[in-house]
Amino acid sequence: MNPTHPLDRDKLIGFYRTMRLIRRFEERVVELVNRDEIPGVTHEYVGQEAVATGVCHALRPDDVITSTHRGHGHILAKGGDPRRMIAELMGKTTGYNLGRGGSMHIADLSLGIYGANGIVGAGSPIACGAALAAKLHGIDRVAVAFFGDGGMNQGVVHEALNLAAIWKLPVIFVCENNGYAISASIKEMAALERLADRAAAYGMPGEWVDGMDVLAVHAATTRAVERVRGGAGPMLLECRTYRFVGHFTAEKARGLKYRTEEEIAEWRKRDPLVIYPAWLRQEGICDPAQVDAEVEALLEEAVAFARQSPFPAPDEALDGMYAVPYPGFPARGW
Amino acid sequence: MREIRYLEALTEALREEMRRDPSVVIIGEDVRHSLRGVTKGIIDEFGPDRIFDTPISEAGFTGLATGAAMAGMRPVVEYQINALIFVAFDQLVDQAQKLRYMMGGQGKIPVTYLVVASGARRGLAGQHSDHPYPLLVHMGMKAVMPSTPRDAKGLFKAAIREDDPVVVFAPAALLPVKGAVPEGEYTIPLGQAEVKREGSDLTIIAVGPLVPEALKCAESLASEGIAAEVLDPRSLLPLDRETILASARKTGRVILFDDSNRTCGYAAELSAVIAEEAWDSLRAPIRRITRADVPVPFSPPLEAYVLPSRDRLLEECRQLLTGSRA
Ligand SMILES: Cc1ncc(C[n+]2csc(CCOP(=O)(O)OP(=O)(O)O)c2C)c(N)n1
């Protein structure tokens, strides 16, 4: 941590609030999944909080992000409302997607959140499209495409990188390298050490940053945003991070084991939710316990709100498919 | 006879075919750790030269399998989720499926694609709940969808031995289901439907995970004095038209029960076959119960509404009988 950091106190406390919110949100979600109040599975962001926080706090409210299957952190960091998120996770009418999407598809266009996505890599070209539109409309908006180290190997991500490069689109490609794609170690799935080096092949700068350090991520993103907003074209930012938990909620129960306990423990020592609040206290910036209490109250309210919200009526299921529906379409199944 | 799970039947099939034929290899995501369960223990027996964990690159490894097959291998490709068929679509339908024909019949492309969790599972929403078989069949791809552990083993083995690309759809809902599976060596040839229950009043043609549902429905109907026949095509392409037409002619009433989208869905094809060939034996219009034409919604009450259900089938069967011409 850099004690002579140029950021003001509110900003520094804001980082912690977001990271703490993400961590506790995910922990609450796991409880709710285990109690079967949330159907299906969720992919928790525990361990990676510094990336979403550092990146999204360097963006303007009207900047756009595309997210992944592990999207809760990105959405909260971009200003998503935890009440509507939990409601969506429970499949309620008050959820962000009216119960249509669930954990992997939360979107809020008004906040520039163009959706979490269940298909690895699929958000990258969408971010390019948002960037192209901004450019054509003469708006100096930036788009960020989040994807994982696994996503970095998807063809569509490479096509997106190239499109952004040739058309000088204002896109920042943020590769969250947590070392694994489910059980597949990136060491076996890519023949180069730093994924950011791939940027060179597309004629754009690539940068590597410590994804456990929110200040480092924020500083790197701030520089990237300046460059990209200035019209210099896209860049690739690789954030080296780690997920402390399984790929998804039920992983442990399935007995899937592909990482050593020692490796996890080693990374846990760098937990941004231990290191950063300790630094805040030590520097006399704030008492993190106060933020913790605020976050707890917010989540308590969010869960209560979601629980009280109604489920949609079954026959609403066909609503919302088309902006322009025609009689009888979409068709029901009988 | 011993009872094993559908998923275990797939594993057995794979193991036996790998022992029999050294050119059989497995390619897919997380297959060494067997996230999906089919490749469980395979790495221990066959080692890393026959089981390949890939990067997340479905188009890439699907095309790779095509080339390997043209060069003498017999790859089994596992897709971790049903929607990955879409990511690999060009490599499936424009390459693997068309190349032999376009090369004037040269060579062969014996790839088996395993879609291990086809269809909807609770709470997985739009991008993880599709049953993409009509799309592939539409493009001429051979495809099977077993509904029992016995069929799963026999059809998977036959698919691996087939000298053309074949997609095996293993429905999510059936993977944990147990059933009788013979001990000895056997295969079930492509292109053979099976009557899973005999009946004379009406025919329910059910596909994949809906077969057990149709059987339960037939049981309820039996208690009301209605004898429903339940027919499982099993092999989607090639399709056993004869068995289907014979049943339609016998009962004169047909309900199609299919978990693919309604418009241009698999039930539409079955319905056309019957209408074209057996129209003069029909005593009532053919009916379809299918999935609705929307992505599967996340919220449980919405999800239940768009997927075909046994209750709906029961209701339609009753209506068909009371409303039909004598
Ligand atoms: C195109 C595609 N292939 C495979 C999957 C199945 N899948 C979901 S998440 C995942 C791993 C993704 O790894 P990574 O991109 O590194 O992100 P992380 O899970 O580590 O956050 C896989 C293989 C998918 N959803 N989409």
Side-chain angles (χ1 to χ4, degrees):
Chain A
M1 295 289 153
N2 175 5
T4 58
H5 206 273
L7 294 173
D8 66 26
R9 198 174 156 271
D10 284 351
K11 193 104 185 160
L12 294 173
I13 299 172
F15 292 170
Y16 179 61
R17 188 178 294 111
T18 300
M19 291 202 294
R20 178 79 187 180
L21 178 62
I22 298 171
R23 173 69 56 93
R24 290 294 298 139
F25 182 93
E26 297 292 47
E27 289 169 352
R28 289 302 301 263
V29 162
V30 171
E31 286 164 28
L32 295 168
V33 170
N34 290 336
R35 294 165 54 118
D36 212 20
E37 287 188 66
I38 290 176
V41 297
T42 58
H43 305 83
E44 289 83 31
Y45 197 67
V46 173
Q48 303 182 208
E49 295 87 350
V51 180
T53 305
V55 169
C56 290
H57 280 243
L59 299 178
R60 276 193 334 223
D62 70 327
D63 289 333
V64 165
I65 64 166
T66 59
S67 176
T68 67
H69 58 288
R70 200 177 301 289
H72 303 164
H74 307 143
I75 292 153
L76 286 166
K78 191 70 173 54
D81 176 355
R83 299 185 318 156
R84 297 189 61 199
M85 288 173 70
I86 304 246
E88 183 59 31
L89 295 180
M90 289 187 179
K92 301 297 185 77
T93 47
T94 51
Y96 263 122
N97 307 24
L98 312 178
R100 305 293 198 276
S103 167
M104 268 188 290
H105 304 287
I106 297 177
D108 184 344
L109 297 186
S110 72
L111 293 174
I113 301 165
Y114 278 35
N117 206 310
I119 305 299
V120 169
S124 290
I126 297 173
C128 291
L132 175 66
K135 200 172 160 168
L136 295 176
H137 291 151
I139 304 167
D140 65 346
R141 181 179 293 155
V142 163
V144 167
F146 284 104
F147 51 89
D149 47 289
M152 184 85 242
N153 291 326
Q154 266 287 309
V156 73
V157 172
H158 290 269
E159 295 178 26
L161 283 160
N162 192 52
L163 282 169
I166 58 172
W167 292 339
K168 284 204 181 312
L169 300 178
V171 185
I172 304 169
F173 294 91
V174 175
C175 176
E176 268 179 280
N177 181 355
N178 63 14
Y180 293 87
I182 312 190
S183 75
S185 159
I186 189 64
K187 292 198 181 101
E188 288 184 81
M189 294 298 155
L192 78 180
E193 181 70 26
R194 294 202 170 182
L195 301 177
D197 291 348
R198 288 186 179 174
Y202 297 99
M204 67 174 77
E207 194 176 323
W208 189 95
V209 66
D210 177 0
M212 304 305 269
D213 180 347
V214 66
L215 299 180
V217 175
H218 185 264
T221 312
T222 305
R223 285 194 304 274
V225 168
E226 256 167 45
R227 178 197 146 80
V228 165
R229 220 190 284 287
M235 77 168 284
L236 172 62
L237 186 64
E238 176 186 359
C239 303
R240 187 68 178 93
T241 179
Y242 202 75
R243 65 173 152 76
F244 295 158
V245 294
H247 172 72
F248 61 128
T249 333
E251 182 179 294
K252 226 182 192 153
R254 294 247 194 117
L256 203 60
K257 201 165 166 10
Y258 46 84
R259 312 186 290 186
T260 62
E261 292 304 324
E262 295 74 48
E263 182 184 292
I264 299 172
E266 218 31 61
W267 278 92
R268 280 252 185 213
K269 287 187 195 151
R270 312 197 38 222
D271 187 344
L273 281 135
V274 175
I275 309 266
Y276 188 69
W279 177 78
L280 288 178
R281 197 181 297 110
Q282 182 197 315
E283 293 296 312
I285 294 165
C286 75
D287 175 7
Q290 266 173 11
V291 175
D292 297 356
E294 275 172 44
V295 165
E296 243 26 58
L298 185 60
L299 285 175
E300 209 46 58
E301 200 217 320
V303 173
F305 169 82
R307 280 186 176 141
Q308 283 155 18
S309 301
F311 279 109
D315 62 5
E316 289 169 19
L318 302 191
D319 300 346
M321 168 99 168
Y322 298 115
V324 186
Y326 287 87
F329 295 95
R332 62 174 197 182
W334 67 88
Chain B
M1 210 187 289
R2 71 194 173 118
E3 298 227 321
I4 60 171
R5 292 184 199 286
Y6 190 104
L7 191 65
E8 292 163 343
L10 293 173
T11 307
E12 265 192 18
L14 194 52
R15 218 178 251 285
E16 288 179 12
E17 292 308 299
M18 287 182 82
R19 282 182 192 149
R20 207 179 65 87
D21 181 350
S23 64
V24 177
V25 295
I26 304 167
I27 299 171
E29 287 153 5
D30 302 286
V31 285
R32 286 175 307 182
H33 281 88
S34 192
L35 187 74
R36 285 274 160 248
V38 178
T39 50
K40 206 167 167 194
I42 296 267
I43 184 98
D44 303 330
E45 180 174 349
F46 300 98
D49 284 348
R50 306 230 4 228
I51 174 158
F52 296 93
D53 262 9
T54 63
I56 306 179
S57 50
E58 293 78 16
F61 66 72
T62 302
L64 177 141
T66 304
M70 289 163 81
M73 304 300 293
R74 215 166 255 283
V76 174
V77 174
E78 180 186 291
Y79 295 106
Q80 195 162 70
I81 54 175
N82 36 38
L84 304 185
I85 288 286
F86 306 139
V87 178
F89 209 60
D90 169 68
Q91 286 297 331
L92 286 166
V93 305
D94 257 344
Q95 311 303 330
Q97 177 52 26
K98 288 191 181 131
L99 285 183
R100 185 187 140 80
Y101 178 82
M102 295 198 305
M103 293 186 300
Q106 296 181 65
K108 52 192 190 188
I109 305 179
V111 187
T112 306
Y113 312 96
L114 185 61
V115 182
V116 195
S118 197
R121 286 166 287 164
R122 182 169 174 261
L124 284 186
Q127 291 173 344
H128 283 61
S129 302
D130 282 323
H131 245 332
Y133 49 93
L135 296 176
L136 291 164
V137 168
H138 182 72
M139 297 311 295
M141 183 76 91
K142 292 179 179 172
V144 299
M145 176 130 67
S147 70
T148 66
R150 179 177 152 274
D151 290 358
K153 182 168 175 186
L155 283 165
F156 190 20
K157 280 166 71 88
I160 294 173
R161 295 184 197 184
E162 188 86 357
D163 279 343
D164 286 310
V166 182
V167 191
V168 177
F169 288 95
L174 296 181
L175 298 177
V177 172
K178 273 190 167 183
V181 175
E183 287 284 355
E185 163 70 26
Y186 74 100
T187 58
I188 295 175
L190 271 58
Q192 290 186 4
E194 189 173 62
V195 174
K196 298 282 186 193
R197 180 190 174 114
E198 303 247 4
S200 51
D201 292 330
L202 83 162
T203 300
I204 303 167
I205 304 181
V207 183
L210 297 181
V211 175
E213 297 299 308
L215 287 168
K216 284 179 203 145
C217 173
E219 220 159 275
S220 310
L221 291 171
S223 69
E224 297 168 23
I226 301 169
E229 179 144 305
V230 176
L231 192 151
D232 174 6
R234 299 197 296 198
S235 175
L236 306 171
L237 182 81
L239 177 67
D240 178 357
R241 291 162 194 253
E242 289 320 309
T243 303
I244 288 172
L245 292 171
S247 180
R249 289 191 181 111
K250 175 170 113 182
T251 64
R253 299 182 184 93
V254 181
I255 289 202
L256 305 166
F257 194 34
D258 170 42
D259 187 25
S260 67
N261 282 17
R262 189 168 190 84
T263 304
C264 287
Y266 198 69
E269 171 63 21
L270 292 174
S271 161
V273 166
I274 296 164
E276 280 171 353
E277 308 266 340
W279 62 275
D280 54 345
S281 309
L282 295 181
R283 292 188 282 168
I286 300 165
R287 297 206 187 184
R288 289 183 278 167
I289 301 168
T290 67
R291 185 183 274 215
D293 282 348
V294 291
V296 172
F298 170 79
S299 186
L302 301 180
E303 187 189 81
Y305 185 81
V306 307
L307 297 175
S309 73
R310 196 200 318 165
D311 287 345
R312 171 65 50 191
L313 175 66
L314 200 55
E315 203 178 309
E316 294 286 320
C317 287
R318 288 191 188 120
Q319 274 185 19
L320 183 65
L321 278 159
T322 53
S324 61
R325 285 165 280 157

